[in-house]
Amino acid sequence: MPEGHSVHRIARQFDRNFVGRAALASSPQGRFVEGAEILSGRAATSVRAVGKQMFLEFDDDLWLRVHLGMYGAWDFAGEILVDPTIASANGRMGQTNQRGTDLDDPILDSAGENSLTSIGAPRRTRVHVRMSEQTTGLADEGDEWPPPVVGQVRLRLLTDVTCADLRGPTACELQTPDEVAATIAKLGPDPLVDDVAEGEERFTSVVRRKPTSIGLLLMDQNVVSGIGNVYRAELLFRARQNPHTPGRDVPEEVVRDIWRDWVRLLAIGVETGQMMTMDDLDPEAYRAAMASRDDRHWVYHRAGLPCRVCGTAIVVEEAAGRKLYWCPRCQA
DNA sequence: CATCGATGTTGAG
DNA sequence: TCAACCTCGATGG
């Protein structure tokens, strides 16, 4: 699922394609009918991403809160203006015009997450992207508009030209401004929302007070926002920290370094759409890493494989119902 | 075709 | 601690 970077990418897509444009809202699946009726016909006025949650504002103090959870995803279809800050990893996007056709054939996007038409849980997109005529000449005028609903769609937002389908979210609800504020207030700092220096102080002071293991603290959205299971494992490896060390026993400078590393990794994730957590790769290794998820991480999903640094077998254990991967030697 | 598992959170016991 | 939620790609027969 989407860790924090995905949600920021989605928010930028909404900012570009939905804010300021009236949209019809519906709940083909039937589980958000009431909310959809209230929203339908309105234009979004702003969008915020905080940690793993997105808040879309509409007139009259109406806010839509969406949390994708483990399985959720947004599929975009139609004309998609691409936010220039989330150019696709292969760099092609920046070289084309802004109309949505950087869009490599989404079907060919083996990375899933890299696709700009489906952001969330990794999956092959099924959307039909109507190419802009000026880019490829492949405009598919035969495509239906609006696109046929495929599968379970909790919420569909449809402007004149762009369609966004929400599937499988953990949360999709309307909130008042007070409720939005309360939700956000409970969340730990997000480097792309809060002042980074201030966030570092908040994060550090909380972690340094807790008896809870650093491995659990990094996953606690009340301590820091947006980190999930992949970034947790990778941040700890990069810091060479044992996941079981109580937060208060992790040296302050190390805690600060972890925060600063999260700032860095989140920025990379938002730009590229991929959780690239290995630095300093030569160009060839970098290409391989971007092309294959198996080559992108130090320890995540590498149980039993040799540590990339010391060769020791990476271990996996169950912590709070999630898989925790780490190198028992590098992170002793 | 059936089953498993996943980048997550909540709430019951 | 654990099941439930929810969806669908990957995996194995």
Side-chain angles (χ1 to χ4, degrees):
Chain A
M1 168 11 359
E3 300 193 22
H5 69 301
S6 300
V7 180
H8 282 284
R9 285 170 66 82
I10 291 164
R12 292 178 195 195
Q13 288 294 69
F14 271 95
D15 195 38
R16 207 78 153 92
N17 296 282
F18 284 87
V19 169
R21 304 183 191 194
L24 294 175
S26 58
S27 179
Q29 174 202 56
R31 296 189 50 189
F32 191 58
V33 172
E34 217 175 294
E37 280 173 2
I38 293 171
L39 294 181
S40 197
R42 297 172 188 270
T45 54
S46 76
V47 60
R48 299 190 62 184
V50 183
K52 298 174 187 171
Q53 320 210 32
M54 185 179 83
F55 303 87
L56 192 58
E57 183 186 20
F58 293 82
D59 285 331
D60 301 325
D61 285 341
L62 279 170
W63 288 79
L64 174 70
R65 178 179 79 96
V66 172
H67 192 306
L68 294 177
M70 184 110 66
Y71 325 106
W74 282 102
D75 289 345
F76 293 93
E79 263 177 35
I80 303 166
L81 299 176
V82 176
D83 186 301
T85 61
I86 59 170
S88 63
N90 57 29
R92 254 179 287 176
M93 180 178 268
Q95 300 164 14
T96 56
N97 56 49
Q98 293 185 331
R99 283 268 169 135
T101 52
D102 58 291
L103 305 172
D104 300 286
D105 182 349
I107 301 301
L108 298 179
D109 180 2
S110 62
E113 180 80 10
N114 185 27
S115 168
L116 284 157
T117 55
S118 179
I119 310 180
R123 67 181 53 145
R124 295 192 189 276
T125 179
R126 285 176 276 104
V127 300
H128 298 280
V129 176
R130 194 195 306 161
M131 301 297 201
S132 127
E133 59 296 335
Q134 53 177 318
T135 52
T136 62
L138 294 176
D140 213 337
E141 304 300 338
D143 278 358
E144 295 177 56
W145 190 259
V149 173
V150 177
Q152 298 289 303
V153 175
R154 181 77 58 86
L155 172 62
R156 163 170 282 194
L157 294 174
L158 188 67
T159 70
D160 287 342
V161 296
T162 307
C163 180
D165 283 345
L166 172 64
R167 310 162 183 284
T170 275
C172 170
E173 64 169 4
L174 295 180
Q175 287 192 318
T176 65
D178 284 350
E179 289 169 333
V180 170
T183 301
I184 293 174
K186 288 178 198 152
L187 295 171
D190 175 330
L192 290 180
V193 173
D194 302 286
D195 176 87
V196 292
E198 205 173 293
E200 180 177 319
E201 296 308 320
R202 281 172 65 195
F203 174 71
T204 305
S205 68
V206 171
V207 168
R208 293 273 300 156
R209 232 181 288 128
K210 300 269 191 182
T212 312
S213 72
I214 185 66
L216 289 176
L217 289 172
L218 291 183
M219 292 276 281
D220 185 342
Q221 303 302 301
N222 302 315
V223 173
V224 54
S225 283
I227 296 175
N229 208 21
V230 177
Y231 280 131
R232 179 255 304 258
E234 296 294 296
L235 285 164
L236 287 170
F237 179 86
R238 288 161 62 97
R240 300 297 190 272
Q241 288 301 296
N242 186 313
H244 299 296
T245 307
R248 62 188 175 199
D249 294 341
V250 179
E252 179 174 332
E253 264 321 299
V254 173
V255 177
R256 292 183 181 279
D257 285 344
I258 291 174
W259 167 263
R260 294 185 199 127
D261 203 27
W262 171 227
V263 175
R264 189 175 315 126
L265 291 185
L266 179 59
I268 292 170
V270 172
E271 278 172 34
T272 67
Q274 297 182 358
M275 285 184 273
M276 172 39 123
T277 56
M278 297 200 294
D279 346 70
D280 299 333
L281 295 178
D282 60 69
E284 188 180 336
Y286 185 82
R287 257 195 308 282
M290 290 309 252
S292 161
R293 288 181 204 212
D294 295 337
D295 295 326
R296 215 173 282 163
H297 307 306
W298 291 106
V299 295
Y300 179 76
H301 215 336
R302 288 181 54 80
L305 296 174
C307 171
R308 298 184 191 280
V309 171
C310 75
T312 302
I314 300 302
V315 300
V316 59
E317 53 192 77
E318 201 86 6
R322 309 301 299 280
K323 304 267 192 196
L324 169 56
Y325 301 88
W326 59 294
C327 172
R329 179 161 169 190
C330 290
Q331 301 170 258

